[in-house]
Amino acid sequence: IPACYKCLPIQSYKTKPDNKAYLIESLLGVKYAYNMTDYLNIKWSFLEDSCTLNNLKCFKAYGITDTTRIDVWYCPDIPVQDGPLLYCGLPGLIIQSESNTGFKTELVRIVDIEKLKLPNIPIDDFQIVSKKTFDEAKKHYLMEAKKKE
C-alpha cells in the first residue's frame, strides 16, 4: 500500500449479504458510518466493448463523478456489484479500472476467504447516519474548535 493511502481518514465496510457499503469516519472518538453512495455518486454508462482479462469475460463501462472519469472493465459472471475503493454499482465485479487522475487498479487473484486466517474485526462499533448528518456534525465541531483557538 502506498504511504499516501495509509493516511486516508476514511475506512470502508462492505456487507455482502445485503450488498451495502459504508464509509466509516471518526469524530471525537466516535465512529460514524454512512452509505457509500452518499459519498461518491458515480453515474455509469455502458459501452459495447468486451475483452478477456485474467480469463474472465469483461465488459467496458465508464463512470463520471463531479471531477473524475473512471474507465472500468467488469465481469457480470461474478455477480457482485463491487470493485476497488469506492467503485461499485455495476452488474458484476470490477476487474480493472483507470481514472483520469491516474489511479489504476487490476484484479490479480480471487482468494477463498474461508481459507484466510483473518483477525476478528468488530463490525458494529459504529453508528449509521446519513452523510448529510455527519457533515453537519463535523462542520459544527470544526466551528466550535475554531472559536476556542
Side-chain angles (χ1 to χ4, degrees), residues 22-46:
Y22 298 95
L23 291 180
I24 303 169
E25 289 192 66
S26 293
L27 183 61
L28 297 174
V30 178
K31 290 182 181 177
Y32 297 94
Y34 48 85
N35 193 302
M36 189 178 290
T37 57
D38 291 345
Y39 179 77
L40 184 64
N41 188 14
I42 301 175
K43 307 224 182 340
W44 293 108
S45 297
F46 299 93

PDB file of all heavy atoms in Angstrom, residues 22-46:
ATOM      1  N   TYR A  22     -20.521   0.965   3.323  1.00  0.00           N
ATOM      2  CA  TYR A  22     -20.493   2.140   4.184  1.00  0.00           C
ATOM      3  C   TYR A  22     -19.085   2.694   4.253  1.00  0.00           C
ATOM      4  O   TYR A  22     -18.108   1.940   4.204  1.00  0.00           O
ATOM      5  CB  TYR A  22     -20.927   1.775   5.611  1.00  0.00           C
ATOM      6  CG  TYR A  22     -22.327   1.258   5.710  1.00  0.00           C
ATOM      7  CD1 TYR A  22     -22.584  -0.098   5.700  1.00  0.00           C
ATOM      8  CD2 TYR A  22     -23.398   2.133   5.798  1.00  0.00           C
ATOM      9  CE1 TYR A  22     -23.877  -0.581   5.780  1.00  0.00           C
ATOM     10  CE2 TYR A  22     -24.696   1.650   5.878  1.00  0.00           C
ATOM     11  CZ  TYR A  22     -24.931   0.298   5.871  1.00  0.00           C
ATOM     12  OH  TYR A  22     -26.212  -0.166   5.948  1.00  0.00           O
ATOM     13  N   LEU A  23     -18.981   3.990   4.406  1.00  0.00           N
ATOM     14  CA  LEU A  23     -17.714   4.631   4.723  1.00  0.00           C
ATOM     15  C   LEU A  23     -17.773   4.968   6.199  1.00  0.00           C
ATOM     16  O   LEU A  23     -18.813   5.404   6.708  1.00  0.00           O
ATOM     17  CB  LEU A  23     -17.512   5.897   3.901  1.00  0.00           C
ATOM     18  CG  LEU A  23     -17.293   5.643   2.419  1.00  0.00           C
ATOM     19  CD1 LEU A  23     -17.103   6.951   1.676  1.00  0.00           C
ATOM     20  CD2 LEU A  23     -16.085   4.765   2.192  1.00  0.00           C
ATOM     21  N   ILE A  24     -16.664   4.775   6.887  1.00  0.00           N
ATOM     22  CA  ILE A  24     -16.615   4.994   8.327  1.00  0.00           C
ATOM     23  C   ILE A  24     -15.621   6.106   8.612  1.00  0.00           C
ATOM     24  O   ILE A  24     -14.486   6.063   8.154  1.00  0.00           O
ATOM     25  CB  ILE A  24     -16.190   3.707   9.061  1.00  0.00           C
ATOM     26  CG1 ILE A  24     -17.138   2.567   8.706  1.00  0.00           C
ATOM     27  CG2 ILE A  24     -16.138   3.939  10.566  1.00  0.00           C
ATOM     28  CD1 ILE A  24     -16.661   1.208   9.153  1.00  0.00           C
ATOM     29  N   GLU A  25     -16.066   7.107   9.368  1.00  0.00           N
ATOM     30  CA  GLU A  25     -15.205   8.200   9.795  1.00  0.00           C
ATOM     31  C   GLU A  25     -15.362   8.387  11.284  1.00  0.00           C
ATOM     32  O   GLU A  25     -16.407   8.082  11.853  1.00  0.00           O
ATOM     33  CB  GLU A  25     -15.568   9.508   9.086  1.00  0.00           C
ATOM     34  CG  GLU A  25     -15.207   9.537   7.618  1.00  0.00           C
ATOM     35  CD  GLU A  25     -15.320  10.928   7.035  1.00  0.00           C
ATOM     36  OE1 GLU A  25     -14.543  11.815   7.442  1.00  0.00           O
ATOM     37  OE2 GLU A  25     -16.194  11.137   6.177  1.00  0.00           O
ATOM     38  N   SER A  26     -14.307   8.903  11.914  1.00  0.00           N
ATOM     39  CA  SER A  26     -14.349   9.169  13.343  1.00  0.00           C
ATOM     40  C   SER A  26     -14.498  10.656  13.594  1.00  0.00           C
ATOM     41  O   SER A  26     -13.939  11.470  12.879  1.00  0.00           O
ATOM     42  CB  SER A  26     -13.068   8.687  14.019  1.00  0.00           C
ATOM     43  OG  SER A  26     -12.982   7.293  13.960  1.00  0.00           O
ATOM     44  N   LEU A  27     -15.249  10.974  14.634  1.00  0.00           N
ATOM     45  CA  LEU A  27     -15.410  12.357  15.070  1.00  0.00           C
ATOM     46  C   LEU A  27     -15.471  12.322  16.588  1.00  0.00           C
ATOM     47  O   LEU A  27     -16.353  11.666  17.158  1.00  0.00           O
ATOM     48  CB  LEU A  27     -16.684  12.972  14.479  1.00  0.00           C
ATOM     49  CG  LEU A  27     -16.945  14.438  14.782  1.00  0.00           C
ATOM     50  CD1 LEU A  27     -15.828  15.319  14.225  1.00  0.00           C
ATOM     51  CD2 LEU A  27     -18.277  14.872  14.192  1.00  0.00           C
ATOM     52  N   LEU A  28     -14.506  12.948  17.229  1.00  0.00           N
ATOM     53  CA  LEU A  28     -14.414  12.974  18.688  1.00  0.00           C
ATOM     54  C   LEU A  28     -14.382  11.565  19.281  1.00  0.00           C
ATOM     55  O   LEU A  28     -14.996  11.282  20.306  1.00  0.00           O
ATOM     56  CB  LEU A  28     -15.565  13.770  19.294  1.00  0.00           C
ATOM     57  CG  LEU A  28     -15.610  15.251  18.910  1.00  0.00           C
ATOM     58  CD1 LEU A  28     -16.880  15.898  19.448  1.00  0.00           C
ATOM     59  CD2 LEU A  28     -14.377  15.979  19.416  1.00  0.00           C
ATOM     60  N   GLY A  29     -13.687  10.660  18.617  1.00  0.00           N
ATOM     61  CA  GLY A  29     -13.521   9.308  19.126  1.00  0.00           C
ATOM     62  C   GLY A  29     -14.689   8.374  18.865  1.00  0.00           C
ATOM     63  O   GLY A  29     -14.655   7.212  19.258  1.00  0.00           O
ATOM     64  N   VAL A  30     -15.729   8.852  18.206  1.00  0.00           N
ATOM     65  CA  VAL A  30     -16.885   8.021  17.884  1.00  0.00           C
ATOM     66  C   VAL A  30     -16.851   7.741  16.380  1.00  0.00           C
ATOM     67  O   VAL A  30     -16.609   8.646  15.582  1.00  0.00           O
ATOM     68  CB  VAL A  30     -18.209   8.722  18.274  1.00  0.00           C
ATOM     69  CG1 VAL A  30     -19.404   7.861  17.883  1.00  0.00           C
ATOM     70  CG2 VAL A  30     -18.222   9.036  19.762  1.00  0.00           C
ATOM     71  N   LYS A  31     -17.102   6.489  16.007  1.00  0.00           N
ATOM     72  CA  LYS A  31     -17.115   6.129  14.590  1.00  0.00           C
ATOM     73  C   LYS A  31     -18.533   6.221  14.050  1.00  0.00           C
ATOM     74  O   LYS A  31     -19.475   5.718  14.661  1.00  0.00           O
ATOM     75  CB  LYS A  31     -16.580   4.716  14.392  1.00  0.00           C
ATOM     76  CG  LYS A  31     -15.097   4.596  14.651  1.00  0.00           C
ATOM     77  CD  LYS A  31     -14.631   3.187  14.392  1.00  0.00           C
ATOM     78  CE  LYS A  31     -13.151   3.054  14.684  1.00  0.00           C
ATOM     79  NZ  LYS A  31     -12.703   1.670  14.492  1.00  0.00           N
ATOM     80  N   TYR A  32     -18.655   6.877  12.907  1.00  0.00           N
ATOM     81  CA  TYR A  32     -19.934   7.021  12.213  1.00  0.00           C
ATOM     82  C   TYR A  32     -19.794   6.411  10.831  1.00  0.00           C
ATOM     83  O   TYR A  32     -18.754   6.541  10.186  1.00  0.00           O
ATOM     84  CB  TYR A  32     -20.317   8.498  12.079  1.00  0.00           C
ATOM     85  CG  TYR A  32     -20.532   9.174  13.407  1.00  0.00           C
ATOM     86  CD1 TYR A  32     -19.504   9.863  14.031  1.00  0.00           C
ATOM     87  CD2 TYR A  32     -21.761   9.107  14.047  1.00  0.00           C
ATOM     88  CE1 TYR A  32     -19.698  10.482  15.249  1.00  0.00           C
ATOM     89  CE2 TYR A  32     -21.961   9.719  15.271  1.00  0.00           C
ATOM     90  CZ  TYR A  32     -20.931  10.407  15.871  1.00  0.00           C
ATOM     91  OH  TYR A  32     -21.120  11.010  17.087  1.00  0.00           O
ATOM     92  N   ALA A  33     -20.847   5.775  10.373  1.00  0.00           N
ATOM     93  CA  ALA A  33     -20.839   5.167   9.039  1.00  0.00           C
ATOM     94  C   ALA A  33     -22.010   5.720   8.244  1.00  0.00           C
ATOM     95  O   ALA A  33     -23.095   5.925   8.772  1.00  0.00           O
ATOM     96  CB  ALA A  33     -20.970   3.653   9.156  1.00  0.00           C
ATOM     97  N   TYR A  34     -21.753   5.998   6.978  1.00  0.00           N
ATOM     98  CA  TYR A  34     -22.813   6.447   6.082  1.00  0.00           C
ATOM     99  C   TYR A  34     -22.683   5.706   4.768  1.00  0.00           C
ATOM    100  O   TYR A  34     -21.618   5.197   4.414  1.00  0.00           O
ATOM    101  CB  TYR A  34     -22.800   7.965   5.882  1.00  0.00           C
ATOM    102  CG  TYR A  34     -21.442   8.538   5.573  1.00  0.00           C
ATOM    103  CD1 TYR A  34     -20.962   8.560   4.272  1.00  0.00           C
ATOM    104  CD2 TYR A  34     -20.638   9.067   6.575  1.00  0.00           C
ATOM    105  CE1 TYR A  34     -19.717   9.073   3.981  1.00  0.00           C
ATOM    106  CE2 TYR A  34     -19.387   9.592   6.293  1.00  0.00           C
ATOM    107  CZ  TYR A  34     -18.942   9.590   4.997  1.00  0.00           C
ATOM    108  OH  TYR A  34     -17.696  10.099   4.716  1.00  0.00           O
ATOM    109  N   ASN A  35     -23.784   5.628   4.063  1.00  0.00           N
ATOM    110  CA  ASN A  35     -23.846   4.874   2.827  1.00  0.00           C
ATOM    111  C   ASN A  35     -22.822   5.400   1.829  1.00  0.00           C
ATOM    112  O   ASN A  35     -22.712   6.599   1.605  1.00  0.00           O
ATOM    113  CB  ASN A  35     -25.256   4.959   2.236  1.00  0.00           C
ATOM    114  CG  ASN A  35     -25.469   3.960   1.140  1.00  0.00           C
ATOM    115  OD1 ASN A  35     -24.751   3.957   0.149  1.00  0.00           O
ATOM    116  ND2 ASN A  35     -26.464   3.109   1.304  1.00  0.00           N
ATOM    117  N   MET A  36     -22.086   4.495   1.240  1.00  0.00           N
ATOM    118  CA  MET A  36     -21.037   4.874   0.301  1.00  0.00           C
ATOM    119  C   MET A  36     -21.573   5.661  -0.890  1.00  0.00           C
ATOM    120  O   MET A  36     -20.907   6.562  -1.395  1.00  0.00           O
ATOM    121  CB  MET A  36     -20.315   3.625  -0.187  1.00  0.00           C
ATOM    122  CG  MET A  36     -19.072   3.918  -0.994  1.00  0.00           C
ATOM    123  SD  MET A  36     -18.212   2.426  -1.503  1.00  0.00           S
ATOM    124  CE  MET A  36     -17.572   1.816   0.029  1.00  0.00           C
ATOM    125  N   THR A  37     -22.780   5.352  -1.333  1.00  0.00           N
ATOM    126  CA  THR A  37     -23.315   6.070  -2.485  1.00  0.00           C
ATOM    127  C   THR A  37     -23.614   7.530  -2.158  1.00  0.00           C
ATOM    128  O   THR A  37     -23.691   8.357  -3.048  1.00  0.00           O
ATOM    129  CB  THR A  37     -24.592   5.396  -3.024  1.00  0.00           C
ATOM    130  OG1 THR A  37     -25.553   5.320  -1.983  1.00  0.00           O
ATOM    131  CG2 THR A  37     -24.294   4.010  -3.550  1.00  0.00           C
ATOM    132  N   ASP A  38     -23.758   7.866  -0.856  1.00  0.00           N
ATOM    133  CA  ASP A  38     -23.909   9.272  -0.464  1.00  0.00           C
ATOM    134  C   ASP A  38     -22.605  10.035  -0.625  1.00  0.00           C
ATOM    135  O   ASP A  38     -22.587  11.246  -0.712  1.00  0.00           O
ATOM    136  CB  ASP A  38     -24.367   9.392   0.993  1.00  0.00           C
ATOM    137  CG  ASP A  38     -25.780   8.905   1.204  1.00  0.00           C
ATOM    138  OD1 ASP A  38     -26.507   8.733   0.205  1.00  0.00           O
ATOM    139  OD2 ASP A  38     -26.158   8.693   2.365  1.00  0.00           O
ATOM    140  N   TYR A  39     -21.490   9.306  -0.606  1.00  0.00           N
ATOM    141  CA  TYR A  39     -20.182   9.943  -0.669  1.00  0.00           C
ATOM    142  C   TYR A  39     -19.727  10.153  -2.111  1.00  0.00           C
ATOM    143  O   TYR A  39     -19.279  11.206  -2.483  1.00  0.00           O
ATOM    144  CB  TYR A  39     -19.159   9.089   0.078  1.00  0.00           C
ATOM    145  CG  TYR A  39     -17.768   9.643   0.057  1.00  0.00           C
ATOM    146  CD1 TYR A  39     -17.418  10.698   0.878  1.00  0.00           C
ATOM    147  CD2 TYR A  39     -16.801   9.113  -0.789  1.00  0.00           C
ATOM    148  CE1 TYR A  39     -16.138  11.222   0.858  1.00  0.00           C
ATOM    149  CE2 TYR A  39     -15.524   9.622  -0.811  1.00  0.00           C
ATOM    150  CZ  TYR A  39     -15.198  10.672   0.020  1.00  0.00           C
ATOM    151  OH  TYR A  39     -13.931  11.187  -0.011  1.00  0.00           O
ATOM    152  N   LEU A  40     -19.839   9.125  -2.909  1.00  0.00           N
ATOM    153  CA  LEU A  40     -19.336   9.184  -4.284  1.00  0.00           C
ATOM    154  C   LEU A  40     -20.418   8.652  -5.206  1.00  0.00           C
ATOM    155  O   LEU A  40     -20.560   7.453  -5.373  1.00  0.00           O
ATOM    156  CB  LEU A  40     -18.059   8.345  -4.416  1.00  0.00           C
ATOM    157  CG  LEU A  40     -17.351   8.382  -5.751  1.00  0.00           C
ATOM    158  CD1 LEU A  40     -16.839   9.784  -6.048  1.00  0.00           C
ATOM    159  CD2 LEU A  40     -16.198   7.408  -5.764  1.00  0.00           C
ATOM    160  N   ASN A  41     -21.188   9.532  -5.761  1.00  0.00           N
ATOM    161  CA  ASN A  41     -22.295   9.135  -6.624  1.00  0.00           C
ATOM    162  C   ASN A  41     -21.785   9.030  -8.058  1.00  0.00           C
ATOM    163  O   ASN A  41     -21.683  10.018  -8.765  1.00  0.00           O
ATOM    164  CB  ASN A  41     -23.433  10.155  -6.509  1.00  0.00           C
ATOM    165  CG  ASN A  41     -24.669   9.691  -7.226  1.00  0.00           C
ATOM    166  OD1 ASN A  41     -24.778   8.525  -7.593  1.00  0.00           O
ATOM    167  ND2 ASN A  41     -25.592  10.593  -7.439  1.00  0.00           N
ATOM    168  N   ILE A  42     -21.453   7.808  -8.461  1.00  0.00           N
ATOM    169  CA  ILE A  42     -20.926   7.576  -9.807  1.00  0.00           C
ATOM    170  C   ILE A  42     -22.085   7.310 -10.750  1.00  0.00           C
ATOM    171  O   ILE A  42     -22.933   6.470 -10.489  1.00  0.00           O
ATOM    172  CB  ILE A  42     -19.952   6.388  -9.825  1.00  0.00           C
ATOM    173  CG1 ILE A  42     -18.781   6.640  -8.874  1.00  0.00           C
ATOM    174  CG2 ILE A  42     -19.445   6.133 -11.242  1.00  0.00           C
ATOM    175  CD1 ILE A  42     -17.844   5.462  -8.737  1.00  0.00           C
ATOM    176  N   LYS A  43     -22.103   8.015 -11.864  1.00  0.00           N
ATOM    177  CA  LYS A  43     -23.103   7.797 -12.906  1.00  0.00           C
ATOM    178  C   LYS A  43     -22.442   6.946 -13.994  1.00  0.00           C
ATOM    179  O   LYS A  43     -21.557   7.405 -14.703  1.00  0.00           O
ATOM    180  CB  LYS A  43     -23.567   9.137 -13.463  1.00  0.00           C
ATOM    181  CG  LYS A  43     -24.028  10.079 -12.361  1.00  0.00           C
ATOM    182  CD  LYS A  43     -25.284  10.782 -12.671  1.00  0.00           C
ATOM    183  CE  LYS A  43     -25.754  11.765 -11.641  1.00  0.00           C
ATOM    184  NZ  LYS A  43     -25.295  11.707 -10.301  1.00  0.00           N
ATOM    185  N   TRP A  44     -22.856   5.686 -14.077  1.00  0.00           N
ATOM    186  CA  TRP A  44     -22.231   4.741 -15.001  1.00  0.00           C
ATOM    187  C   TRP A  44     -22.898   4.753 -16.377  1.00  0.00           C
ATOM    188  O   TRP A  44     -24.108   4.857 -16.477  1.00  0.00           O
ATOM    189  CB  TRP A  44     -22.310   3.320 -14.445  1.00  0.00           C
ATOM    190  CG  TRP A  44     -21.487   3.109 -13.210  1.00  0.00           C
ATOM    191  CD1 TRP A  44     -21.947   2.951 -11.938  1.00  0.00           C
ATOM    192  CD2 TRP A  44     -20.066   3.023 -13.123  1.00  0.00           C
ATOM    193  NE1 TRP A  44     -20.905   2.772 -11.059  1.00  0.00           N
ATOM    194  CE2 TRP A  44     -19.730   2.814 -11.774  1.00  0.00           C
ATOM    195  CE3 TRP A  44     -19.030   3.103 -14.054  1.00  0.00           C
ATOM    196  CZ2 TRP A  44     -18.419   2.679 -11.324  1.00  0.00           C
ATOM    197  CZ3 TRP A  44     -17.723   2.972 -13.614  1.00  0.00           C
ATOM    198  CH2 TRP A  44     -17.436   2.766 -12.265  1.00  0.00           C
ATOM    199  N   SER A  45     -22.087   4.618 -17.418  1.00  0.00           N
ATOM    200  CA  SER A  45     -22.552   4.448 -18.794  1.00  0.00           C
ATOM    201  C   SER A  45     -21.896   3.188 -19.349  1.00  0.00           C
ATOM    202  O   SER A  45     -20.714   2.940 -19.121  1.00  0.00           O
ATOM    203  CB  SER A  45     -22.166   5.653 -19.660  1.00  0.00           C
ATOM    204  OG  SER A  45     -22.799   6.818 -19.185  1.00  0.00           O
ATOM    205  N   PHE A  46     -22.664   2.410 -20.067  1.00  0.00           N
ATOM    206  CA  PHE A  46     -22.177   1.137 -20.579  1.00  0.00           C
ATOM    207  C   PHE A  46     -21.746   1.271 -22.031  1.00  0.00           C
ATOM    208  O   PHE A  46     -22.399   1.947 -22.825  1.00  0.00           O
ATOM    209  CB  PHE A  46     -23.271   0.070 -20.455  1.00  0.00           C
ATOM    210  CG  PHE A  46     -23.676  -0.157 -19.025  1.00  0.00           C
ATOM    211  CD1 PHE A  46     -24.738   0.531 -18.471  1.00  0.00           C
ATOM    212  CD2 PHE A  46     -22.964  -1.038 -18.236  1.00  0.00           C
ATOM    213  CE1 PHE A  46     -25.094   0.337 -17.148  1.00  0.00           C
ATOM    214  CE2 PHE A  46     -23.317  -1.241 -16.905  1.00  0.00           C
ATOM    215  CZ  PHE A  46     -24.386  -0.553 -16.370  1.00  0.00           C
TER     216      PHE A  46
END
